[in-house]
Amino acid sequence: MLILKLKEAQARYNITNKDLAQFVGVGKTLISDWRAGRRRPSYERINLILGAIAHLGDDEQLKLFPLSISELLEWRDLNESLVTKQNENICS
């Protein structure tokens, strides 16, 4: 499953919900939903988000941490997550 790491990317590159929403052409509420994982952006919008980060992001941070797709997306195996949760419950 693809996980959107928007909250982390915004923090790293100092981008507000308002600025990101304006650049991408959506409302701040939708940005909040993406950040919380309640909704997922389309692949087209992911591309727009990457462009927004490159355009709006703090120049110093972008030099220190060059922008890549892995800054925004992460692949997690659902089965692995379930096994980890089950093991945590057993150990508790």
Side-chain angles (χ1 to χ4, degrees):
M1 165 162 56
L2 280 177
I3 304 298
L4 182 67
K5 301 187 299 182
L6 185 56
K7 184 177 183 178
E8 294 87 348
Q10 283 182 268
R12 171 169 279 169
Y13 299 110
N14 301 314
I15 299 169
T16 66
N17 283 3
K18 179 183 175 185
D19 290 340
L20 182 60
Q22 286 177 340
F23 193 95
V24 176
V26 299
K28 290 187 298 184
T29 304
L30 186 55
I31 299 293
S32 295
D33 286 348
W34 290 343
R35 286 174 53 117
R38 290 185 292 268
R39 297 181 68 185
R40 290 195 179 95
S42 66
Y43 292 116
E44 180 181 296
R45 286 217 172 120
I46 289 171
N47 193 40
L48 288 173
I49 293 167
L50 284 169
I53 293 169
H55 183 76
L56 300 170
D58 179 84
D59 289 336
E60 288 298 314
Q61 287 298 98
L62 285 164
K63 286 178 189 173
L64 288 172
F65 304 101
L67 183 61
S68 69
I69 192 81
S70 63
E71 292 296 320
L72 190 60
L73 297 175
E74 178 182 333
W75 173 258
R76 291 190 192 156
D77 185 352
L78 273 179
N79 292 328
E80 185 177 312
S81 297
L82 291 173
V83 169
T84 302
K85 284 183 181 180
Q86 289 172 348
N87 288 340
E88 289 174 357
N89 290 337
I90 291 171
C91 294
S92 300

Coordinates of all heavy atoms in Angstrom, one line a residue:
M1 N 0.8 -1.2 0.0 CA 0.0 0.0 0.0 C 0.9 1.2 0.0 O 1.9 1.3 0.7 CB -0.9 0.0 1.2 CG -1.5 1.3 1.5 SD -3.0 1.4 2.5 CE -2.5 0.7 4.1
L2 N 0.5 2.2 -0.8 CA 1.3 3.5 -0.9 C 0.8 4.4 0.3 O -0.4 4.6 0.5 CB 1.1 4.2 -2.2 CG 1.9 3.7 -3.4 CD1 1.5 4.5 -4.6 CD2 3.4 3.8 -3.1
I3 N 1.8 4.9 1.0 CA 1.5 5.8 2.1 C 2.0 7.2 1.7 O 3.2 7.4 1.3 CB 2.3 5.4 3.4 CG1 1.9 4.0 3.8 CG2 2.0 6.4 4.5 CD1 0.4 3.7 4.1
L4 N 1.2 8.2 1.8 CA 1.6 9.6 1.5 C 2.1 10.2 2.7 O 1.5 10.3 3.8 CB 0.3 10.3 1.0 CG 0.5 11.8 0.6 CD1 1.4 11.9 -0.7 CD2 -0.8 12.5 0.4
K5 N 3.4 10.7 2.6 CA 4.1 11.3 3.7 C 4.1 12.8 3.6 O 5.1 13.5 3.7 CB 5.5 10.8 3.8 CG 5.6 9.3 4.0 CD 7.0 8.8 4.2 CE 7.9 9.1 3.1 NZ 9.3 8.6 3.2
L6 N 2.9 13.3 3.4 CA 2.7 14.8 3.1 C 3.1 15.6 4.3 O 3.8 16.6 4.2 CB 1.3 15.1 2.6 CG 1.0 16.5 2.2 CD1 2.0 17.0 1.1 CD2 -0.4 16.6 1.7
K7 N 2.6 15.2 5.5 CA 2.9 15.9 6.7 C 4.4 16.1 6.9 O 4.9 17.2 7.2 CB 2.2 15.2 7.9 CG 2.3 15.9 9.2 CD 1.6 15.2 10.3 CE 1.6 15.9 11.6 NZ 0.8 15.1 12.6
E8 N 5.1 15.0 6.8 CA 6.6 15.1 6.9 C 7.2 15.9 5.9 O 8.1 16.7 6.2 CB 7.1 13.6 6.9 CG 6.7 12.7 8.0 CD 5.4 12.0 7.7 OE1 4.7 12.4 6.8 OE2 5.0 11.1 8.5
A9 N 6.8 15.8 4.6 CA 7.4 16.6 3.6 C 7.1 18.1 3.8 O 8.0 18.9 3.6 CB 6.8 16.2 2.2
Q10 N 5.9 18.4 4.2 CA 5.6 19.8 4.4 C 6.5 20.4 5.6 O 6.9 21.5 5.5 CB 4.1 20.0 4.8 CG 3.2 20.0 3.6 CD 1.8 20.2 4.0 OE1 1.0 19.2 4.3 NE2 1.4 21.4 4.1
A11 N 6.6 19.6 6.6 CA 7.5 20.1 7.7 C 8.9 20.2 7.3 O 9.6 21.2 7.6 CB 7.3 19.1 8.9
R12 N 9.4 19.3 6.6 CA 10.8 19.3 6.2 C 11.1 20.5 5.3 O 12.1 21.2 5.4 CB 11.2 18.0 5.4 CG 12.6 18.2 4.8 CD 13.1 16.9 4.3 NE 13.6 16.2 5.4 CZ 14.0 14.9 5.4 NH1 13.8 14.2 4.4 NH2 14.5 14.3 6.5
Y13 N 10.2 20.8 4.4 CA 10.4 21.9 3.4 C 9.7 23.2 3.7 O 9.7 24.1 2.9 CB 10.1 21.4 2.0 CG 10.9 20.2 1.6 CD1 10.3 18.9 1.5 CD2 12.3 20.3 1.3 CE1 11.1 17.8 1.1 CE2 13.0 19.2 1.0 CZ 12.4 18.0 0.9 OH 13.2 16.9 0.5
N14 N 9.1 23.2 4.9 CA 8.4 24.5 5.4 C 7.3 25.0 4.5 O 7.4 26.1 4.0 CB 9.5 25.6 5.7 CG 10.5 25.1 6.7 OD1 10.2 24.6 7.7 ND2 11.8 25.4 6.4
I15 N 6.4 24.1 4.2 CA 5.3 24.5 3.3 C 3.9 24.4 4.1 O 3.7 23.4 4.7 CB 5.2 23.6 2.1 CG1 6.5 23.7 1.3 CG2 4.0 23.9 1.2 CD1 6.7 22.7 0.2
T16 N 3.2 25.5 4.0 CA 1.9 25.5 4.8 C 0.8 24.8 3.9 O 0.9 24.7 2.7 CB 1.4 26.9 5.0 OG1 1.2 27.6 3.8 CG2 2.5 27.7 5.8
N17 N -0.3 24.4 4.6 CA -1.4 23.8 3.9 C -2.0 24.8 3.0 O -2.4 24.5 1.9 CB -2.5 23.4 5.0 CG -2.2 22.1 5.7 OD1 -1.2 21.5 5.5 ND2 -3.1 21.7 6.5
K18 N -2.1 26.1 3.4 CA -2.7 27.1 2.5 C -1.9 27.3 1.2 O -2.5 27.3 0.1 CB -2.7 28.5 3.3 CG -3.3 29.6 2.5 CD -3.2 30.9 3.3 CE -3.6 32.1 2.4 NZ -3.5 33.3 3.1
D19 N -0.6 27.4 1.3 CA 0.3 27.6 0.1 C 0.2 26.4 -0.8 O 0.1 26.5 -2.0 CB 1.7 27.8 0.5 CG 1.9 29.2 1.1 OD1 1.1 30.1 0.9 OD2 2.9 29.4 1.8
L20 N 0.2 25.2 -0.2 CA 0.1 23.9 -1.0 C -1.2 23.9 -1.7 O -1.3 23.5 -2.9 CB 0.4 22.7 -0.1 CG 0.3 21.4 -0.8 CD1 1.4 21.3 -1.9 CD2 0.5 20.3 0.2
A21 N -2.3 24.2 -1.0 CA -3.6 24.1 -1.5 C -3.8 25.1 -2.7 O -4.3 24.7 -3.7 CB -4.7 24.4 -0.5
Q22 N -3.2 26.3 -2.6 CA -3.3 27.2 -3.6 C -2.5 26.8 -4.9 O -3.0 26.9 -6.0 CB -2.8 28.6 -3.2 CG -3.7 29.3 -2.3 CD -3.2 30.6 -1.8 OE1 -2.0 30.9 -1.8 NE2 -4.1 31.5 -1.3
F23 N -1.4 26.2 -4.7 CA -0.5 25.8 -5.8 C -1.2 24.6 -6.5 O -1.2 24.6 -7.7 CB 0.9 25.4 -5.3 CG 1.9 25.2 -6.4 CD1 2.7 26.3 -6.7 CD2 2.0 24.0 -7.1 CE1 3.6 26.1 -7.7 CE2 2.9 23.9 -8.1 CZ 3.7 24.9 -8.4
V24 N -1.7 23.7 -5.8 CA -2.3 22.5 -6.4 C -3.7 22.7 -6.9 O -4.2 22.0 -7.8 CB -2.3 21.3 -5.3 CG1 -3.0 20.1 -5.9 CG2 -0.9 21.0 -4.9
G25 N -4.4 23.8 -6.4 CA -5.7 24.1 -6.8 C -6.8 23.4 -6.1 O -7.8 23.0 -6.7
V26 N -6.6 23.1 -4.8 CA -7.6 22.4 -4.0 C -7.8 23.2 -2.7 O -7.1 24.2 -2.5 CB -7.2 21.0 -3.7 CG1 -7.0 20.1 -4.9 CG2 -5.9 20.9 -2.9
G27 N -8.8 22.8 -1.9 CA -9.0 23.5 -0.7 C -8.1 23.0 0.4 O -7.6 21.9 0.4
K28 N -8.0 23.8 1.5 CA -7.2 23.4 2.6 C -7.7 22.1 3.3 O -6.9 21.4 3.9 CB -7.1 24.5 3.6 CG -6.3 25.7 3.1 CD -6.1 26.8 4.2 CE -7.4 27.3 4.7 NZ -7.2 28.4 5.7
T29 N -9.0 22.0 3.3 CA -9.6 20.8 3.9 C -9.1 19.5 3.3 O -8.8 18.5 3.9 CB -11.1 20.9 3.9 OG1 -11.6 22.1 4.5 CG2 -11.8 19.7 4.6
L30 N -9.0 19.5 1.9 CA -8.5 18.3 1.2 C -7.1 18.1 1.6 O -6.7 16.9 1.8 CB -8.7 18.5 -0.3 CG -8.3 17.3 -1.2 CD1 -9.1 16.1 -0.7 CD2 -8.6 17.6 -2.6
I31 N -6.3 19.1 1.7 CA -4.9 18.9 2.1 C -4.8 18.3 3.5 O -4.1 17.3 3.7 CB -4.1 20.3 2.2 CG1 -4.1 20.9 0.8 CG2 -2.7 20.1 2.7 CD1 -3.3 20.2 -0.3
S32 N -5.7 18.7 4.4 CA -5.8 18.1 5.7 C -6.2 16.7 5.7 O -5.6 15.8 6.4 CB -6.8 18.9 6.6 OG -6.3 20.2 6.8
D33 N -7.1 16.4 4.8 CA -7.5 15.0 4.6 C -6.4 14.1 4.1 O -6.2 13.0 4.5 CB -8.8 14.9 3.7 CG -10.0 15.3 4.3 OD1 -10.1 15.5 5.6 OD2 -11.0 15.5 3.6
W34 N -5.6 14.6 3.2 CA -4.5 13.9 2.6 C -3.5 13.6 3.7 O -2.9 12.5 3.9 CB -3.8 14.6 1.5 CG -4.6 14.7 0.2 CD1 -5.7 13.9 -0.1 CD2 -4.4 15.6 -0.9 NE1 -6.1 14.3 -1.4 CE2 -5.4 15.3 -1.9 CE3 -3.5 16.6 -1.1 CZ2 -5.4 16.0 -3.1 CZ3 -3.5 17.3 -2.3 CH2 -4.5 17.0 -3.3
R35 N -3.2 14.7 4.5 CA -2.2 14.6 5.6 C -2.6 13.5 6.6 O -1.8 12.8 7.2 CB -2.0 15.9 6.3 CG -1.3 16.9 5.5 CD -1.2 18.3 6.2 NE -0.8 18.2 7.5 CZ 0.3 18.8 8.0 NH1 1.0 19.5 7.2 NH2 0.6 18.7 9.3
A36 N -3.9 13.5 7.0 CA -4.4 12.6 8.0 C -4.6 11.2 7.4 O -4.9 10.2 8.2 CB -5.7 13.1 8.6
G37 N -4.5 11.0 6.1 CA -4.8 9.7 5.5 C -6.2 9.3 5.3 O -6.5 8.2 5.0
R38 N -7.1 10.3 5.5 CA -8.5 10.1 5.2 C -8.8 9.9 3.8 O -9.8 9.3 3.4 CB -9.4 11.2 5.9 CG -9.4 11.1 7.4 CD -10.3 12.2 8.0 NE -9.9 13.5 7.7 CZ -9.1 14.2 8.6 NH1 -8.7 13.7 9.7 NH2 -8.8 15.5 8.3
R39 N -8.1 10.6 2.9 CA -8.2 10.5 1.5 C -6.8 10.5 0.9 O -5.8 10.8 1.5 CB -9.0 11.8 1.0 CG -10.4 11.8 1.5 CD -11.1 13.0 1.0 NE -11.4 12.9 -0.4 CZ -12.0 13.8 -1.2 NH1 -12.3 14.9 -0.6 NH2 -12.2 13.6 -2.4
R40 N -6.8 10.0 -0.4 CA -5.5 9.9 -1.1 C -5.6 10.7 -2.4 O -6.6 10.6 -3.1 CB -5.2 8.5 -1.4 CG -4.8 7.7 -0.2 CD -4.2 6.4 -0.6 NE -3.8 5.7 0.6 CZ -4.5 4.7 1.1 NH1 -5.7 4.4 0.6 NH2 -4.1 4.1 2.2
P41 N -4.6 11.5 -2.7 CA -4.6 12.2 -4.0 C -4.4 11.3 -5.2 O -3.8 10.2 -5.0 CB -3.4 13.2 -3.9 CG -2.5 12.5 -2.9 CD -3.3 11.7 -2.0
S42 N -4.9 11.7 -6.3 CA -4.6 10.9 -7.6 C -3.1 11.0 -7.9 O -2.4 11.9 -7.4 CB -5.5 11.5 -8.7 OG -5.0 12.9 -9.0
Y43 N -2.7 10.2 -8.8 CA -1.3 10.2 -9.3 C -1.0 11.6 -9.9 O 0.1 12.1 -9.7 CB -1.0 9.1 -10.2 CG -1.0 7.7 -9.5 CD1 -2.0 6.8 -9.8 CD2 -0.1 7.4 -8.5 CE1 -2.0 5.5 -9.2 CE2 -0.2 6.2 -7.8 CZ -1.1 5.3 -8.1 OH -1.1 4.1 -7.5
E44 N -1.9 12.1 -10.6 CA -1.7 13.4 -11.2 C -1.5 14.5 -10.2 O -0.6 15.3 -10.3 CB -2.9 13.8 -12.1 CG -2.8 15.1 -12.8 CD -4.1 15.5 -13.6 OE1 -4.4 14.8 -14.6 OE2 -4.7 16.5 -13.2
R45 N -2.3 14.4 -9.1 CA -2.1 15.4 -8.0 C -0.8 15.2 -7.2 O -0.2 16.1 -6.7 CB -3.3 15.4 -7.1 CG -4.5 16.0 -7.8 CD -5.3 16.8 -6.8 NE -6.4 17.6 -7.4 CZ -7.7 17.4 -7.2 NH1 -8.1 16.5 -6.3 NH2 -8.5 18.2 -7.8
I46 N -0.4 13.9 -7.1 CA 0.9 13.7 -6.5 C 2.0 14.4 -7.3 O 2.9 15.0 -6.7 CB 1.2 12.1 -6.4 CG1 0.3 11.5 -5.3 CG2 2.7 11.9 -6.0 CD1 0.3 10.0 -5.3
N47 N 1.9 14.3 -8.6 CA 2.9 15.1 -9.4 C 2.8 16.6 -9.1 O 3.9 17.2 -9.1 CB 2.6 14.7 -10.9 CG 3.8 15.2 -11.8 OD1 4.9 15.1 -11.4 ND2 3.4 15.7 -12.9
L48 N 1.6 17.1 -9.0 CA 1.4 18.5 -8.7 C 2.0 18.9 -7.3 O 2.6 19.9 -7.1 CB 0.0 18.9 -8.7 CG -0.7 19.0 -10.1 CD1 -2.2 19.2 -10.0 CD2 0.0 20.1 -10.9
I49 N 1.8 18.0 -6.4 CA 2.4 18.2 -5.0 C 3.9 18.2 -5.1 O 4.5 19.1 -4.4 CB 1.9 17.1 -4.0 CG1 0.4 17.2 -3.8 CG2 2.6 17.1 -2.7 CD1 -0.3 16.0 -3.1
L50 N 4.5 17.3 -5.8 CA 6.0 17.3 -6.0 C 6.4 18.6 -6.6 O 7.4 19.2 -6.1 CB 6.4 16.1 -6.8 CG 6.4 14.8 -6.1 CD1 6.7 13.7 -7.2 CD2 7.5 14.7 -5.1
G51 N 5.7 19.1 -7.6 CA 6.1 20.4 -8.2 C 5.9 21.5 -7.2 O 6.7 22.5 -7.2
A52 N 4.9 21.5 -6.4 CA 4.6 22.5 -5.4 C 5.8 22.5 -4.4 O 6.3 23.6 -4.0 CB 3.3 22.3 -4.7
I53 N 6.2 21.4 -3.9 CA 7.3 21.3 -3.0 C 8.6 21.9 -3.6 O 9.3 22.7 -2.9 CB 7.5 19.9 -2.5 CG1 6.3 19.4 -1.6 CG2 8.8 19.7 -1.7 CD1 6.3 17.9 -1.3
A54 N 8.8 21.5 -4.8 CA 10.0 22.1 -5.5 C 10.0 23.6 -5.6 O 11.0 24.3 -5.5 CB 10.2 21.4 -6.8
H55 N 8.8 24.1 -5.9 CA 8.6 25.5 -6.1 C 8.5 26.3 -4.8 O 9.1 27.4 -4.7 CB 7.3 25.8 -7.0 CG 7.1 27.2 -7.3 ND1 7.8 27.8 -8.3 CD2 6.2 28.1 -6.8 CE1 7.4 29.1 -8.4 NE2 6.4 29.3 -7.5
L56 N 7.8 25.8 -3.9 CA 7.5 26.6 -2.6 C 8.4 26.3 -1.5 O 8.5 27.1 -0.5 CB 6.1 26.2 -2.1 CG 4.9 26.5 -3.1 CD1 3.6 25.9 -2.5 CD2 4.7 28.0 -3.2
G57 N 9.1 25.1 -1.6 CA 9.9 24.7 -0.4 C 11.1 25.6 -0.1 O 11.6 26.3 -1.0
D58 N 11.5 25.5 1.1 CA 12.7 26.3 1.6 C 13.9 25.9 0.8 O 14.3 24.7 0.8 CB 12.8 26.0 3.1 CG 14.0 26.7 3.7 OD1 13.9 27.9 4.1 OD2 15.1 26.1 3.8
D59 N 14.6 26.9 0.2 CA 15.8 26.6 -0.6 C 16.9 25.8 0.1 O 17.5 24.9 -0.4 CB 16.3 27.9 -1.2 CG 15.4 28.5 -2.3 OD1 14.6 27.7 -2.9 OD2 15.5 29.7 -2.5
E60 N 17.1 26.2 1.4 CA 18.2 25.6 2.1 C 17.9 24.1 2.4 O 18.7 23.2 2.3 CB 18.4 26.3 3.5 CG 19.1 27.6 3.3 CD 20.5 27.5 2.7 OE1 21.3 26.6 3.2 OE2 20.8 28.3 1.8
Q61 N 16.6 23.8 2.8 CA 16.2 22.5 3.0 C 16.2 21.6 1.7 O 16.6 20.5 1.8 CB 14.8 22.4 3.6 CG 14.7 22.9 5.0 CD 15.5 22.0 5.9 OE1 16.6 22.4 6.3 NE2 15.0 20.9 6.3
L62 N 15.9 22.3 0.6 CA 15.9 21.5 -0.7 C 17.3 21.2 -1.1 O 17.6 20.2 -1.7 CB 15.2 22.3 -1.8 CG 13.7 22.4 -1.7 CD1 13.1 23.5 -2.6 CD2 13.1 21.0 -2.1
K63 N 18.3 22.1 -0.7 CA 19.7 21.8 -0.9 C 20.2 20.6 0.0 O 20.9 19.7 -0.5 CB 20.6 23.0 -0.7 CG 20.4 24.0 -1.8 CD 21.3 25.3 -1.5 CE 20.9 26.4 -2.5 NZ 21.6 27.6 -2.1
L64 N 19.8 20.7 1.2 CA 20.2 19.7 2.2 C 19.6 18.3 1.9 O 20.2 17.3 2.1 CB 19.9 20.1 3.6 CG 20.7 21.2 4.2 CD1 20.2 21.7 5.6 CD2 22.2 20.8 4.4
F65 N 18.3 18.4 1.6 CA 17.5 17.1 1.3 C 16.9 17.2 0.0 O 15.7 17.6 -0.2 CB 16.4 17.0 2.4 CG 16.9 17.0 3.8 CD1 16.8 18.1 4.6 CD2 17.5 15.8 4.4 CE1 17.3 18.1 5.9 CE2 18.0 15.8 5.7 CZ 17.9 17.0 6.4
P66 N 17.6 16.9 -1.1 CA 17.1 17.0 -2.4 C 15.7 16.2 -2.6 O 15.6 15.1 -2.0 CB 18.1 16.4 -3.3 CG 19.4 16.5 -2.5 CD 19.0 16.4 -1.1
L67 N 14.8 16.9 -3.3 CA 13.5 16.3 -3.4 C 13.5 15.1 -4.3 O 14.1 15.0 -5.3 CB 12.6 17.4 -4.1 CG 11.1 17.0 -4.2 CD1 10.4 16.7 -2.9 CD2 10.4 18.2 -4.9
S68 N 12.8 14.0 -3.8 CA 12.6 12.8 -4.5 C 11.2 12.3 -4.2 O 10.6 12.7 -3.2 CB 13.7 11.8 -4.1 OG 13.5 11.3 -2.8
I69 N 10.8 11.3 -5.0 CA 9.5 10.7 -4.8 C 9.4 10.0 -3.4 O 8.4 10.0 -2.8 CB 9.1 9.8 -6.0 CG1 7.6 9.4 -5.9 CG2 10.0 8.6 -6.0 CD1 6.7 10.4 -6.4
S70 N 10.5 9.5 -3.0 CA 10.6 8.8 -1.7 C 10.4 9.7 -0.5 O 10.1 9.3 0.6 CB 11.9 8.0 -1.5 OG 13.0 8.9 -1.5
E71 N 10.6 11.0 -0.7 CA 10.3 12.0 0.3 C 8.8 12.1 0.6 O 8.3 12.6 1.6 CB 10.8 13.4 0.0 CG 12.3 13.5 0.0 CD 12.9 13.2 1.3 OE1 12.4 13.7 2.3 OE2 14.0 12.5 1.3
L72 N 8.0 11.8 -0.4 CA 6.5 11.9 -0.4 C 5.8 10.6 -0.3 O 4.7 10.6 0.3 CB 6.1 12.7 -1.6 CG 4.7 13.2 -1.7 CD1 4.4 14.2 -0.5 CD2 4.4 13.9 -3.0
L73 N 6.3 9.6 -0.8 CA 5.6 8.3 -0.9 C 6.4 7.2 -0.2 O 7.6 7.1 -0.4 CB 5.3 7.9 -2.3 CG 4.3 8.8 -3.1 CD1 4.2 8.3 -4.5 CD2 3.0 8.9 -2.5
E74 N 5.7 6.2 0.4 CA 6.4 5.1 1.0 C 5.5 3.9 0.7 O 4.3 3.9 0.8 CB 6.5 5.3 2.5 CG 7.1 4.1 3.2 CD 7.2 4.4 4.7 OE1 7.3 5.5 5.1 OE2 7.2 3.4 5.5
W75 N 6.1 2.8 0.4 CA 5.4 1.5 0.2 C 5.4 0.7 1.5 O 6.5 0.5 2.0 CB 6.0 0.7 -1.0 CG 5.4 -0.6 -1.1 CD1 5.9 -1.8 -0.7 CD2 4.1 -1.0 -1.7 NE1 5.0 -2.8 -0.9 CE2 3.9 -2.3 -1.5 CE3 3.1 -0.2 -2.2 CZ2 2.8 -3.0 -2.0 CZ3 2.0 -0.8 -2.7 CH2 1.8 -2.2 -2.6
R76 N 4.3 0.3 1.9 CA 4.2 -0.6 3.1 C 3.4 -1.8 2.7 O 2.3 -1.7 2.1 CB 3.5 0.1 4.3 CG 4.4 1.2 4.8 CD 3.8 1.7 6.1 NE 4.5 2.9 6.5 CZ 3.9 3.8 7.3 NH1 2.7 3.7 7.8 NH2 4.6 4.9 7.6
D77 N 3.9 -3.0 3.1 CA 3.2 -4.2 2.9 C 2.1 -4.4 4.0 O 2.5 -4.4 5.2 CB 4.2 -5.4 2.9 CG 3.6 -6.7 2.6 OD1 2.3 -6.8 2.5 OD2 4.4 -7.7 2.4
L78 N 0.9 -4.5 3.6 CA -0.2 -4.6 4.6 C 0.0 -5.8 5.4 O -0.3 -5.8 6.6 CB -1.6 -4.7 3.8 CG -2.2 -3.3 3.5 CD1 -3.5 -3.6 2.8 CD2 -2.5 -2.5 4.8
N79 N 0.4 -6.9 4.8 CA 0.6 -8.2 5.6 C 1.6 -8.0 6.7 O 1.5 -8.5 7.8 CB 0.9 -9.3 4.7 CG -0.2 -9.7 3.8 OD1 -1.4 -9.6 4.1 ND2 0.1 -10.1 2.6
E80 N 2.7 -7.3 6.4 CA 3.8 -7.0 7.3 C 3.2 -6.2 8.5 O 3.5 -6.4 9.6 CB 4.9 -6.3 6.6 CG 6.1 -6.1 7.5 CD 7.3 -5.5 6.8 OE1 7.6 -6.0 5.7 OE2 7.8 -4.5 7.3
S81 N 2.4 -5.2 8.2 CA 1.8 -4.3 9.2 C 0.9 -5.1 10.2 O 1.0 -4.9 11.4 CB 1.1 -3.2 8.6 OG 1.9 -2.4 7.8
L82 N 0.2 -6.1 9.6 CA -0.7 -6.9 10.4 C 0.0 -7.8 11.3 O -0.3 -8.0 12.5 CB -1.7 -7.7 9.5 CG -2.7 -6.9 8.7 CD1 -3.5 -7.8 7.8 CD2 -3.7 -6.2 9.7
V83 N 1.1 -8.4 10.8 CA 1.9 -9.3 11.6 C 2.6 -8.5 12.8 O 2.6 -9.0 13.9 CB 3.0 -10.0 10.7 CG1 4.1 -10.7 11.6 CG2 2.4 -10.9 9.8
T84 N 3.1 -7.3 12.5 CA 3.7 -6.5 13.5 C 2.7 -6.1 14.6 O 3.0 -6.2 15.8 CB 4.3 -5.2 12.9 OG1 5.2 -5.5 11.9 CG2 5.0 -4.3 13.9
K85 N 1.5 -5.8 14.2 CA 0.5 -5.4 15.2 C 0.1 -6.6 16.1 O -0.1 -6.6 17.3 CB -0.8 -4.9 14.5 CG -0.6 -3.5 14.1 CD -1.9 -2.9 13.5 CE -1.7 -1.5 13.0 NZ -2.9 -1.0 12.4
Q86 N 0.0 -7.8 15.4 CA -0.3 -9.0 16.1 C 0.8 -9.4 17.1 O 0.5 -9.7 18.3 CB -0.5 -10.2 15.2 CG -1.8 -10.1 14.4 CD -1.9 -11.2 13.3 OE1 -0.9 -11.8 13.0 NE2 -3.1 -11.3 12.7
N87 N 2.1 -9.2 16.7 CA 3.2 -9.5 17.6 C 3.2 -8.5 18.8 O 3.5 -8.9 19.9 CB 4.5 -9.4 16.8 CG 4.7 -10.6 15.9 OD1 4.1 -11.6 16.1 ND2 5.6 -10.4 14.9
E88 N 2.9 -7.2 18.5 CA 2.8 -6.2 19.6 C 1.7 -6.6 20.6 O 1.9 -6.5 21.8 CB 2.5 -4.8 19.0 CG 3.7 -4.3 18.3 CD 3.4 -2.9 17.6 OE1 2.2 -2.5 17.7 OE2 4.3 -2.4 17.0
N89 N 0.6 -7.1 20.1 CA -0.5 -7.5 21.0 C -0.1 -8.7 21.9 O -0.5 -8.8 23.0 CB -1.8 -7.8 20.2 CG -2.4 -6.6 19.7 OD1 -2.2 -5.4 20.1 ND2 -3.2 -6.7 18.6
I90 N 0.6 -9.6 21.3 CA 1.1 -10.8 22.0 C 2.1 -10.5 23.1 O 2.0 -11.0 24.2 CB 1.7 -11.8 21.1 CG1 0.6 -12.4 20.1 CG2 2.4 -13.0 21.8 CD1 1.2 -13.3 19.0
C91 N 3.0 -9.5 22.8 CA 4.0 -9.1 23.8 C 3.4 -8.2 24.9 O 4.1 -8.0 25.9 CB 5.1 -8.3 23.1 SG 6.0 -9.4 22.0
S92 N 2.3 -7.6 24.7 CA 1.7 -6.7 25.7 C 1.2 -7.4 26.9 O 0.8 -8.5 26.9 CB 0.6 -5.9 25.1 OG 1.1 -5.1 24.0

